[in-house]
Amino acid sequence: MKMLKKLLAVVLTGAMALTLLTACGSNAVTEKDIADAMNDMAKAKGTNVTFTPRTDEQAMAKAIAALPESDRNKTEDDGHNKLPKKVMEILGLNEANEESCFVWYGAVFADEIGTAGQAYNVMNNILSKDAVNADKLEGEPADIRYIGTALSTMTYFGGKQTTVRIIVVTAPVKGQESQNPGKA
């Protein structure tokens, strides 16, 4: 009986140790968690903006994350394109549909930063800037913003690999939200 109690104590200790390690790190943060944190930040700022995860934006973020790092970072600046050509294609920012919605794109550090940290970086480093295609649109973005994310890695100074979260946020032009409900 004593041996069974000792074995049970070891098993329970191991189970408790595993639960402490589960959900640690950036991989446990979901885009719904980030959207919820961004909604809280928007409310705190007194805006009516709402962030909603959506599969279209998630697919774009995953496609960008799947690109080789060189294709994500190399810009072919022809005077107005600020993003790499392949990223522009994935985001749908070609002549055919660049005027359909506002698009924000970027990457934030995900290593050792939880939900609030990642959401804060999205709000301050990506959404605080003009949308990538803002110069092509008339009007302002609608209050509903669609978000998609995907994890990837980037090489920073000294060759260190860092986990980043690729973020894609879209918003229809205000007043045109109901014209194309399936796609912002």
Side-chain angles (χ1 to χ4, degrees):
M1 187 68 165
K2 269 188 167 184
M3 189 60 142
L4 182 60
K5 285 183 180 181
K6 286 182 181 181
L7 180 62
L8 186 58
V10 169
V11 170
L12 287 174
T13 303
M16 288 178 9
L18 284 176
T19 60
L20 287 175
L21 297 175
T22 312
C24 287
S26 61
N27 296 342
V29 176
T30 67
E31 67 189 24
K32 182 180 178 342
D33 296 335
I34 291 175
D36 290 344
M38 290 168 58
N39 286 330
D40 291 342
M41 289 177 193
K43 277 184 199 173
K45 287 183 177 181
T47 65
N48 292 326
V49 174
T50 303
F51 296 92
T52 304
R54 193 165 74 168
T55 56
D56 289 347
E57 287 70 16
Q58 184 183 46
M60 287 186 269
K62 283 183 177 181
I64 293 168
L67 288 174
E69 189 174 341
S70 60
D71 289 341
R72 281 185 277 152
N73 298 328
K74 183 175 74 172
T75 40
E76 299 158 15
D77 191 2
D78 60 1
H80 65 277
N81 284 342
K82 302 175 220 163
L83 295 176
K85 187 176 184 177
K86 290 185 180 188
V87 172
M88 296 281 283
E89 289 171 6
I90 291 169
L91 295 174
L93 296 177
N94 54 28
E95 277 67 28
N97 61 1
E98 67 184 359
E99 298 175 10
S100 63
C101 66
F102 287 87
V103 177
W104 291 267
Y105 157 76
V108 296
F109 288 108
D111 277 344
E112 301 174 14
I113 298 177
T115 303
Q118 290 180 46
Y120 178 82
N121 283 325
V122 172
M123 294 291 270
N124 289 321
N125 298 330
I126 297 172
L127 298 175
S128 63
K129 301 174 185 173
D130 284 335
V132 174
N133 61 337
D135 58 332
K136 306 263 191 285
L137 301 169
E138 291 185 24
E140 53 187 85
D143 289 339
I144 286 258
R145 312 280 166 92
Y146 300 102
I147 182 173
T149 73
L151 290 176
S152 187
T153 58
M154 291 185 103
T155 306
Y156 282 92
F157 303 110
K160 183 179 181 221
Q161 288 284 319
T162 304
T163 303
V164 294
R165 186 171 296 275
I166 305 292
I167 309 283
V168 175
V169 177
T170 65
V173 176
K174 196 173 261 187
Q176 297 180 9
E177 298 96 317
S178 61
Q179 289 180 1
N180 196 358
K183 177 93 169 130

